Amino acid sequence: GQQLNQSPQSMFIQEGEDVSMNCTSSSIFNTWLWYKQEPGEGPVLLIALYKAGELTSNGRLTAQFGITRKDSFLNISASIPSDVGIYFCAGRVQGGSEKLVFGKGTKLTVNP
Amino acid sequence: NAGVTQTPKFQVLKTGQSMTLQCAQDMNHEYMSWYRQDPGMGLRLIHYSVGAGITDQGEVPNGYNVSRSTTEDFPLRLLSAAPSQTSVYFCASSYFGYEQYFGPGTRLTVT
């Protein structure tokens, strides 16, 4: 089936550093969603993007819907220990159904 | 709003047993879906529904049944549990074209 390439697979950073991760696909998307999952919990929606070029922030998090409509980026500024978790991208293919395609996640570890 | 709720939170089954995982949402969302999450595999779609009375298969439907008699509820049935169905199961819902919201998950172990 459809796949999203999410990178990096994992990141180990120091508290205070900025973080960048991205998702790419060979297909054109009309929706990009970014989720965070903490151990033992369900994915929690962070940011939703619906328009090419859109840049949306949620506190220290900023995500962008790529101009080509085949990629999306998530940045976290000034990381803190509670940013630890797995971050997933997900998207809806243009002309496709309601089904979401998910990346395999970026595992973030923040050292205090 | 309670959002998306799932029960039970944990379950242990023996091979061959059947059970139903419950999912409910109070947001009047048309679209509901079930995923399983396994280490290194990400989230994989099992079944989904675009409205009451309408269901369809996702990526990994074998061994699971669903029905949707109301907008609010979307139960997932395991017909004859197998060790390969040991996983964490998430239910999600959304309005068409918008963001999906996930439940807290059911952790299932089949021995």
Side-chain angles (χ1 to χ4, degrees):
Chain A
Q2 282 283 351
Q3 288 220 337
L4 283 178
N5 300 311
Q6 185 171 352
S7 65
Q9 208 168 6
S10 61
M11 301 182 76
F12 297 85
I13 62 169
Q14 293 297 124
E15 183 176 358
E17 289 183 1
D18 296 342
V19 171
S20 289
M21 59 191 78
N22 68 84
C23 275
T24 61
S25 175
S26 56
S27 300
I28 293 174
F29 283 69
N30 62 20
T31 303
W32 285 100
L33 306 172
W34 285 92
Y35 292 89
K36 179 187 178 186
Q37 187 177 26
E38 298 184 20
E41 305 291 330
V44 173
L45 182 71
L46 298 173
I47 293 177
L49 302 160
Y50 298 104
K51 195 173 174 183
E54 183 179 356
L55 187 71
T56 298
S57 293
N58 179 3
R60 293 177 295 104
L61 278 62
T62 302
Q64 185 164 23
F65 193 138
I67 290 290
T68 65
R69 308 181 74 178
K70 295 182 179 182
D71 55 13
S72 181
F73 308 86
L74 176 70
N75 295 319
I76 305 173
S77 62
S79 59
I80 58 178
S82 62
D83 289 334
V84 164
I86 301 177
Y87 292 79
F88 290 97
C89 63
R92 284 194 186 90
V93 177
Q94 175 79 5
S97 69
E98 279 300 302
K99 290 184 279 186
L100 287 180
V101 179
F102 280 86
K104 292 197 174 179
T106 295
K107 186 175 182 180
L108 179 64
T109 302
V110 180
N111 295 317
Chain B
N1 278 357
V4 181
T5 57
Q6 292 184 239
T7 56
K9 196 159 176 67
F10 300 95
Q11 182 71 50
V12 179
L13 291 178
K14 294 188 187 308
T15 297
Q17 287 185 317
S18 62
M19 80 158 294
T20 299
L21 280 63
Q22 301 292 343
C23 173
Q25 53 89 12
D26 62 359
M27 297 174 282
N28 204 32
H29 286 166
E30 309 100 336
Y31 183 83
M32 295 185 75
S33 53
W34 276 101
Y35 297 88
R36 60 178 288 172
Q37 186 176 38
D38 302 293
M41 302 291 290
L43 285 153
R44 293 186 290 169
L45 183 65
I46 305 172
H47 285 285
Y48 65 97
S49 169
V50 298
I54 307 169
T55 64
D56 207 346
Q57 296 181 350
E59 183 185 351
V60 287
N62 292 341
Y64 307 96
N65 267 1
V66 292
S67 61
R68 186 136 177 234
S69 56
T70 67
T71 299
E72 295 78 19
D73 300 298
F74 190 42
L76 178 73
R77 279 180 286 279
L78 278 70
L79 309 172
S80 177
S84 61
Q85 293 179 304
T86 293
S87 188
V88 183
Y89 292 85
F90 291 102
C91 179
S93 73
S94 67
Y95 290 118
F96 288 140
Y98 291 93
E99 54 268 26
Q100 278 191 20
Y101 293 93
F102 283 81
T106 293
R107 282 138 192 87
L108 176 68
T109 301
V110 183
T111 61

Short mmCIF file of all heavy atoms in Angstrom, two decimals, chain A residues 1 31 33 35 37-45 48 50 86 88 92 97-100 102-104, chain B residues 9 31 35 37 40-43 45 48 50 57 90 94-104 107:
data_model
loop_
_atom_site.label_atom_id
_atom_site.label_comp_id
_atom_site.label_asym_id
_atom_site.label_seq_id
_atom_site.Cartn_x
_atom_site.Cartn_y
_atom_site.Cartn_z
N GLY A 1 0.81 -1.20 0.00
CA GLY A 1 0.00 0.00 0.00
C GLY A 1 0.85 1.26 0.00
O GLY A 1 2.06 1.21 -0.11
N THR A 31 -3.91 16.53 2.62
CA THR A 31 -3.95 16.72 4.08
C THR A 31 -2.66 16.17 4.67
O THR A 31 -2.24 15.08 4.27
CB THR A 31 -5.13 15.96 4.71
OG1 THR A 31 -6.36 16.36 4.11
CG2 THR A 31 -5.19 16.21 6.22
N LEU A 33 -1.09 15.56 8.65
CA LEU A 33 -1.35 15.62 10.09
C LEU A 33 -0.09 15.18 10.82
O LEU A 33 0.61 14.25 10.39
CB LEU A 33 -2.52 14.70 10.47
CG LEU A 33 -3.83 14.91 9.71
CD1 LEU A 33 -4.81 13.80 10.06
CD2 LEU A 33 -4.42 16.27 10.03
N TYR A 35 1.20 13.87 14.65
CA TYR A 35 0.77 13.33 15.93
C TYR A 35 1.97 13.08 16.82
O TYR A 35 3.07 12.81 16.34
CB TYR A 35 0.04 11.99 15.75
CG TYR A 35 -1.29 12.06 15.06
CD1 TYR A 35 -1.38 11.97 13.68
CD2 TYR A 35 -2.46 12.19 15.79
CE1 TYR A 35 -2.62 12.01 13.04
CE2 TYR A 35 -3.71 12.23 15.16
CZ TYR A 35 -3.77 12.14 13.80
OH TYR A 35 -5.00 12.18 13.18
N GLN A 37 2.92 10.52 20.17
CA GLN A 37 2.47 9.40 20.99
C GLN A 37 3.44 9.18 22.13
O GLN A 37 4.65 9.03 21.91
CB GLN A 37 2.35 8.12 20.15
CG GLN A 37 1.73 6.96 20.92
CD GLN A 37 1.56 5.72 20.05
OE1 GLN A 37 2.29 5.52 19.08
NE2 GLN A 37 0.60 4.88 20.40
N GLU A 38 2.91 9.17 23.34
CA GLU A 38 3.72 8.87 24.52
C GLU A 38 3.47 7.42 24.93
O GLU A 38 2.44 6.84 24.57
CB GLU A 38 3.39 9.85 25.64
CG GLU A 38 3.72 11.28 25.25
CD GLU A 38 3.50 12.27 26.37
OE1 GLU A 38 3.46 11.84 27.54
OE2 GLU A 38 3.38 13.46 26.07
N PRO A 39 4.40 6.83 25.67
CA PRO A 39 4.27 5.40 26.03
C PRO A 39 2.94 5.09 26.69
O PRO A 39 2.51 5.79 27.61
CB PRO A 39 5.44 5.19 27.00
CG PRO A 39 6.44 6.20 26.59
CD PRO A 39 5.66 7.41 26.16
N GLY A 40 2.27 4.05 26.19
CA GLY A 40 1.00 3.62 26.77
C GLY A 40 -0.20 4.46 26.42
O GLY A 40 -1.29 4.24 26.97
N GLU A 41 -0.03 5.41 25.51
CA GLU A 41 -1.12 6.31 25.16
C GLU A 41 -1.43 6.22 23.66
O GLU A 41 -0.63 5.68 22.88
CB GLU A 41 -0.77 7.76 25.50
CG GLU A 41 -0.38 7.98 26.94
CD GLU A 41 -1.54 7.81 27.89
OE1 GLU A 41 -2.69 8.08 27.48
OE2 GLU A 41 -1.31 7.39 29.04
N GLY A 42 -2.57 6.78 23.27
CA GLY A 42 -2.89 6.88 21.85
C GLY A 42 -2.24 8.11 21.24
O GLY A 42 -1.83 9.02 21.96
N PRO A 43 -2.11 8.14 19.91
CA PRO A 43 -1.56 9.32 19.24
C PRO A 43 -2.42 10.55 19.50
O PRO A 43 -3.65 10.47 19.45
CB PRO A 43 -1.60 8.94 17.76
CG PRO A 43 -1.61 7.45 17.75
CD PRO A 43 -2.40 7.06 18.95
N VAL A 44 -1.78 11.67 19.77
CA VAL A 44 -2.47 12.92 20.03
C VAL A 44 -2.15 13.88 18.90
O VAL A 44 -0.98 14.08 18.55
CB VAL A 44 -2.03 13.52 21.39
CG1 VAL A 44 -2.63 14.91 21.58
CG2 VAL A 44 -2.44 12.60 22.53
N LEU A 45 -3.18 14.48 18.33
CA LEU A 45 -2.98 15.40 17.21
C LEU A 45 -2.26 16.65 17.66
O LEU A 45 -2.63 17.28 18.66
CB LEU A 45 -4.33 15.77 16.61
CG LEU A 45 -4.28 16.69 15.40
CD1 LEU A 45 -3.73 15.94 14.19
CD2 LEU A 45 -5.66 17.26 15.08
N ALA A 48 -2.59 20.16 12.10
CA ALA A 48 -3.25 19.72 10.87
C ALA A 48 -2.99 20.76 9.78
O ALA A 48 -3.07 21.97 10.04
CB ALA A 48 -4.74 19.54 11.09
N TYR A 50 -3.81 21.75 5.56
CA TYR A 50 -4.74 21.42 4.49
C TYR A 50 -4.43 22.10 3.16
O TYR A 50 -5.15 21.90 2.18
CB TYR A 50 -6.17 21.79 4.91
CG TYR A 50 -6.64 21.01 6.12
CD1 TYR A 50 -6.71 21.59 7.37
CD2 TYR A 50 -6.99 19.66 6.00
CE1 TYR A 50 -7.12 20.86 8.47
CE2 TYR A 50 -7.40 18.93 7.10
CZ TYR A 50 -7.47 19.55 8.33
OH TYR A 50 -7.87 18.82 9.42
N ILE A 86 7.11 9.57 20.44
CA ILE A 86 7.22 9.22 19.02
C ILE A 86 6.31 10.16 18.25
O ILE A 86 5.13 10.31 18.57
CB ILE A 86 6.83 7.75 18.78
CG1 ILE A 86 7.73 6.82 19.59
CG2 ILE A 86 6.95 7.43 17.29
CD1 ILE A 86 7.36 5.36 19.47
N PHE A 88 4.52 11.04 14.69
CA PHE A 88 4.07 10.43 13.45
C PHE A 88 3.54 11.49 12.50
O PHE A 88 2.81 12.39 12.92
CB PHE A 88 2.91 9.45 13.70
CG PHE A 88 3.30 8.20 14.42
CD1 PHE A 88 3.11 8.09 15.79
CD2 PHE A 88 3.82 7.12 13.73
CE1 PHE A 88 3.46 6.92 16.47
CE2 PHE A 88 4.17 5.96 14.40
CZ PHE A 88 3.99 5.86 15.77
N ARG A 92 -3.52 12.32 3.72
CA ARG A 92 -4.54 11.80 2.80
C ARG A 92 -4.08 12.06 1.37
O ARG A 92 -3.75 13.19 1.01
CB ARG A 92 -5.89 12.49 3.00
CG ARG A 92 -6.66 12.06 4.20
CD ARG A 92 -8.09 12.53 4.15
NE ARG A 92 -8.74 12.20 5.40
CZ ARG A 92 -8.77 13.01 6.45
NH1 ARG A 92 -8.21 14.20 6.40
NH2 ARG A 92 -9.38 12.64 7.56
N SER A 97 -9.28 8.24 -0.75
CA SER A 97 -10.40 8.14 0.16
C SER A 97 -10.09 8.89 1.45
O SER A 97 -9.14 9.67 1.52
CB SER A 97 -10.67 6.68 0.47
OG SER A 97 -9.61 6.16 1.23
N GLU A 98 -10.90 8.65 2.46
CA GLU A 98 -10.67 9.23 3.78
C GLU A 98 -9.50 8.59 4.51
O GLU A 98 -9.05 9.09 5.54
CB GLU A 98 -11.93 9.06 4.64
CG GLU A 98 -13.01 10.07 4.38
CD GLU A 98 -12.51 11.48 4.64
OE1 GLU A 98 -12.07 11.76 5.76
OE2 GLU A 98 -12.55 12.29 3.69
N LYS A 99 -9.01 7.48 3.98
CA LYS A 99 -7.99 6.73 4.70
C LYS A 99 -6.71 7.55 4.85
O LYS A 99 -6.28 8.24 3.92
CB LYS A 99 -7.67 5.42 3.97
CG LYS A 99 -8.81 4.42 4.04
CD LYS A 99 -8.42 3.10 3.39
CE LYS A 99 -8.56 3.17 1.90
NZ LYS A 99 -8.31 1.84 1.29
N LEU A 100 -6.10 7.44 6.02
CA LEU A 100 -4.82 8.08 6.27
C LEU A 100 -3.69 7.11 5.99
O LEU A 100 -3.79 5.93 6.28
CB LEU A 100 -4.72 8.54 7.72
CG LEU A 100 -5.54 9.74 8.16
CD1 LEU A 100 -5.29 10.01 9.64
CD2 LEU A 100 -5.18 10.97 7.33
N PHE A 102 0.25 6.53 7.12
CA PHE A 102 1.10 6.93 8.24
C PHE A 102 2.57 6.69 7.94
O PHE A 102 2.94 5.70 7.29
CB PHE A 102 0.74 6.12 9.50
CG PHE A 102 -0.47 6.64 10.20
CD1 PHE A 102 -1.73 6.23 9.81
CD2 PHE A 102 -0.35 7.55 11.24
CE1 PHE A 102 -2.86 6.71 10.44
CE2 PHE A 102 -1.48 8.03 11.88
CZ PHE A 102 -2.73 7.62 11.48
N GLY A 103 3.42 7.57 8.47
CA GLY A 103 4.83 7.29 8.54
C GLY A 103 5.10 6.36 9.71
O GLY A 103 4.21 6.12 10.54
N LYS A 104 6.31 5.84 9.79
CA LYS A 104 6.64 4.87 10.84
C LYS A 104 7.11 5.53 12.13
O LYS A 104 7.38 4.85 13.10
CB LYS A 104 7.67 3.87 10.33
CG LYS A 104 7.09 2.97 9.25
CD LYS A 104 7.91 1.74 9.01
CE LYS A 104 7.17 0.84 8.02
NZ LYS A 104 7.90 -0.39 7.71
N LYS B 9 -9.08 -1.65 28.37
CA LYS B 9 -7.74 -1.09 28.19
C LYS B 9 -6.71 -2.20 28.01
O LYS B 9 -5.74 -2.04 27.27
CB LYS B 9 -7.37 -0.23 29.39
CG LYS B 9 -6.18 0.69 29.11
CD LYS B 9 -6.12 1.85 30.07
CE LYS B 9 -4.89 2.71 29.85
NZ LYS B 9 -4.93 3.41 28.55
N TYR B 31 -16.73 9.31 9.94
CA TYR B 31 -15.68 8.33 9.63
C TYR B 31 -15.10 7.76 10.91
O TYR B 31 -14.74 8.50 11.83
CB TYR B 31 -14.57 9.02 8.82
CG TYR B 31 -13.48 8.09 8.37
CD1 TYR B 31 -13.60 7.32 7.21
CD2 TYR B 31 -12.29 7.99 9.09
CE1 TYR B 31 -12.60 6.49 6.79
CE2 TYR B 31 -11.28 7.16 8.67
CZ TYR B 31 -11.43 6.40 7.51
OH TYR B 31 -10.43 5.57 7.10
N TYR B 35 -7.10 0.60 13.86
CA TYR B 35 -5.72 0.36 13.51
C TYR B 35 -5.13 -0.62 14.51
O TYR B 35 -5.55 -0.71 15.66
CB TYR B 35 -4.89 1.65 13.60
CG TYR B 35 -5.30 2.75 12.66
CD1 TYR B 35 -6.28 3.68 13.04
CD2 TYR B 35 -4.68 2.91 11.42
CE1 TYR B 35 -6.64 4.72 12.18
CE2 TYR B 35 -5.04 3.94 10.57
CZ TYR B 35 -6.02 4.84 10.96
OH TYR B 35 -6.38 5.86 10.12
N GLN B 37 -1.16 -1.46 16.06
CA GLN B 37 0.20 -0.91 16.13
C GLN B 37 1.13 -1.98 16.67
O GLN B 37 0.96 -2.44 17.79
CB GLN B 37 0.24 0.34 17.01
CG GLN B 37 1.60 1.03 17.00
CD GLN B 37 1.60 2.31 17.79
OE1 GLN B 37 0.97 2.42 18.84
NE2 GLN B 37 2.31 3.32 17.29
N GLY B 40 7.86 -1.37 15.12
CA GLY B 40 8.52 -1.28 13.83
C GLY B 40 7.60 -1.26 12.63
O GLY B 40 8.05 -1.12 11.49
N MET B 41 6.28 -1.43 12.86
CA MET B 41 5.34 -1.51 11.74
C MET B 41 4.48 -0.26 11.63
O MET B 41 3.71 -0.11 10.70
CB MET B 41 4.42 -2.73 11.91
CG MET B 41 5.15 -4.04 12.01
SD MET B 41 5.93 -4.49 10.46
CE MET B 41 4.52 -4.86 9.46
N GLY B 42 4.54 0.62 12.58
CA GLY B 42 3.68 1.79 12.54
C GLY B 42 2.23 1.42 12.77
O GLY B 42 1.90 0.37 13.33
N LEU B 43 1.34 2.25 12.28
CA LEU B 43 -0.10 2.04 12.42
C LEU B 43 -0.65 1.45 11.12
O LEU B 43 -0.44 2.01 10.05
CB LEU B 43 -0.80 3.36 12.72
CG LEU B 43 -0.61 3.87 14.14
CD1 LEU B 43 -0.74 5.38 14.19
CD2 LEU B 43 -1.64 3.23 15.06
N LEU B 45 -4.08 -0.01 9.07
CA LEU B 45 -5.54 0.08 9.06
C LEU B 45 -6.16 -1.31 8.93
O LEU B 45 -5.83 -2.06 8.01
CB LEU B 45 -5.98 0.96 7.89
CG LEU B 45 -7.47 1.24 7.75
CD1 LEU B 45 -7.99 2.06 8.94
CD2 LEU B 45 -7.73 2.00 6.44
N TYR B 48 -12.55 0.18 8.28
CA TYR B 48 -13.04 1.53 8.48
C TYR B 48 -14.50 1.63 8.07
O TYR B 48 -15.04 0.71 7.43
CB TYR B 48 -12.18 2.53 7.71
CG TYR B 48 -12.23 2.40 6.20
CD1 TYR B 48 -13.06 3.19 5.44
CD2 TYR B 48 -11.41 1.48 5.55
CE1 TYR B 48 -13.10 3.07 4.06
CE2 TYR B 48 -11.44 1.35 4.17
CZ TYR B 48 -12.28 2.15 3.43
OH TYR B 48 -12.32 2.03 2.06
N VAL B 50 -17.51 4.68 6.76
CA VAL B 50 -17.80 6.07 6.37
C VAL B 50 -19.17 6.51 6.85
O VAL B 50 -19.60 7.63 6.55
CB VAL B 50 -17.66 6.26 4.84
CG1 VAL B 50 -16.22 5.97 4.41
CG2 VAL B 50 -18.64 5.38 4.09
N GLN B 57 -12.82 -2.85 4.17
CA GLN B 57 -11.57 -3.42 4.67
C GLN B 57 -10.42 -2.45 4.48
O GLN B 57 -10.36 -1.70 3.50
CB GLN B 57 -11.27 -4.71 3.91
CG GLN B 57 -12.28 -5.80 4.16
CD GLN B 57 -11.92 -7.08 3.41
OE1 GLN B 57 -11.03 -7.10 2.57
NE2 GLN B 57 -12.63 -8.15 3.71
N PHE B 90 -6.02 0.64 18.15
CA PHE B 90 -6.52 2.00 18.30
C PHE B 90 -7.73 2.22 17.39
O PHE B 90 -7.73 1.81 16.23
CB PHE B 90 -5.45 3.03 17.94
CG PHE B 90 -4.32 3.08 18.91
CD1 PHE B 90 -3.10 2.48 18.63
CD2 PHE B 90 -4.47 3.75 20.13
CE1 PHE B 90 -2.06 2.53 19.54
CE2 PHE B 90 -3.43 3.79 21.04
CZ PHE B 90 -2.23 3.18 20.75
N SER B 94 -13.26 10.88 12.64
CA SER B 94 -13.08 12.21 12.06
C SER B 94 -14.32 12.61 11.27
O SER B 94 -15.12 11.76 10.86
CB SER B 94 -11.86 12.25 11.16
OG SER B 94 -12.06 11.46 10.00
N TYR B 95 -14.44 13.92 11.05
CA TYR B 95 -15.32 14.41 10.00
C TYR B 95 -14.59 14.15 8.68
O TYR B 95 -13.36 14.14 8.63
CB TYR B 95 -15.59 15.90 10.13
CG TYR B 95 -16.46 16.27 11.30
CD1 TYR B 95 -15.97 17.09 12.31
CD2 TYR B 95 -17.77 15.83 11.39
CE1 TYR B 95 -16.77 17.46 13.39
CE2 TYR B 95 -18.57 16.19 12.47
CZ TYR B 95 -18.06 16.99 13.46
OH TYR B 95 -18.85 17.35 14.53
N PHE B 96 -15.33 14.00 7.59
CA PHE B 96 -14.70 13.78 6.30
C PHE B 96 -13.75 14.92 5.97
O PHE B 96 -14.10 16.08 6.03
CB PHE B 96 -15.75 13.66 5.19
CG PHE B 96 -16.53 12.39 5.25
CD1 PHE B 96 -17.88 12.38 4.99
CD2 PHE B 96 -15.93 11.19 5.55
CE1 PHE B 96 -18.62 11.21 5.03
CE2 PHE B 96 -16.65 10.01 5.61
CZ PHE B 96 -18.00 10.03 5.35
N GLY B 97 -12.52 14.55 5.61
CA GLY B 97 -11.55 15.53 5.15
C GLY B 97 -10.80 16.25 6.24
O GLY B 97 -9.95 17.08 5.93
N TYR B 98 -11.07 15.91 7.48
CA TYR B 98 -10.44 16.63 8.57
C TYR B 98 -9.62 15.69 9.45
O TYR B 98 -9.44 14.52 9.14
CB TYR B 98 -11.48 17.39 9.38
CG TYR B 98 -12.06 18.54 8.58
CD1 TYR B 98 -13.23 18.37 7.83
CD2 TYR B 98 -11.43 19.78 8.55
CE1 TYR B 98 -13.73 19.40 7.07
CE2 TYR B 98 -11.94 20.81 7.80
CZ TYR B 98 -13.08 20.62 7.07
OH TYR B 98 -13.58 21.64 6.31
N GLU B 99 -9.11 16.22 10.54
CA GLU B 99 -8.18 15.47 11.38
C GLU B 99 -8.87 14.32 12.09
O GLU B 99 -10.00 14.42 12.53
CB GLU B 99 -7.52 16.40 12.40
CG GLU B 99 -8.47 17.20 13.25
CD GLU B 99 -8.82 18.57 12.68
OE1 GLU B 99 -8.74 18.73 11.43
OE2 GLU B 99 -9.17 19.46 13.46
N GLN B 100 -8.12 13.20 12.23
CA GLN B 100 -8.59 12.03 12.96
C GLN B 100 -8.16 12.13 14.42
O GLN B 100 -7.02 12.52 14.71
CB GLN B 100 -8.02 10.74 12.35
CG GLN B 100 -8.79 10.27 11.15
CD GLN B 100 -8.40 8.87 10.72
OE1 GLN B 100 -7.82 8.08 11.47
NE2 GLN B 100 -8.72 8.56 9.48
N TYR B 101 -9.06 11.73 15.30
CA TYR B 101 -8.77 11.70 16.73
C TYR B 101 -8.75 10.25 17.18
O TYR B 101 -9.64 9.47 16.81
CB TYR B 101 -9.82 12.49 17.52
CG TYR B 101 -9.77 13.97 17.23
CD1 TYR B 101 -10.57 14.53 16.25
CD2 TYR B 101 -8.86 14.78 17.90
CE1 TYR B 101 -10.50 15.87 15.95
CE2 TYR B 101 -8.78 16.14 17.61
CZ TYR B 101 -9.61 16.68 16.64
OH TYR B 101 -9.53 18.01 16.34
N PHE B 102 -7.76 9.93 17.99
CA PHE B 102 -7.54 8.55 18.42
C PHE B 102 -8.03 8.32 19.84
O PHE B 102 -7.98 9.22 20.70
CB PHE B 102 -6.05 8.21 18.36
CG PHE B 102 -5.57 7.94 16.96
CD1 PHE B 102 -5.26 8.98 16.11
CD2 PHE B 102 -5.43 6.64 16.50
CE1 PHE B 102 -4.83 8.74 14.82
CE2 PHE B 102 -4.99 6.40 15.21
CZ PHE B 102 -4.69 7.45 14.37
N GLY B 103 -8.44 7.08 20.09
CA GLY B 103 -8.73 6.64 21.45
C GLY B 103 -7.45 6.24 22.17
O GLY B 103 -6.37 6.26 21.59
N PRO B 104 -7.55 5.85 23.44
CA PRO B 104 -6.37 5.53 24.25
C PRO B 104 -5.78 4.15 23.97
O PRO B 104 -4.68 3.85 24.44
CB PRO B 104 -6.90 5.60 25.69
CG PRO B 104 -8.35 5.28 25.55
CD PRO B 104 -8.79 5.84 24.24
N ARG B 107 -4.71 -2.89 24.73
CA ARG B 107 -3.53 -3.74 24.63
C ARG B 107 -3.95 -5.19 24.77
O ARG B 107 -4.40 -5.60 25.83
CB ARG B 107 -2.51 -3.35 25.71
CG ARG B 107 -1.75 -2.10 25.32
CD ARG B 107 -1.55 -1.13 26.48
NE ARG B 107 -1.07 0.15 25.98
CZ ARG B 107 -1.87 1.14 25.57
NH1 ARG B 107 -3.18 1.04 25.63
NH2 ARG B 107 -1.35 2.25 25.09
#
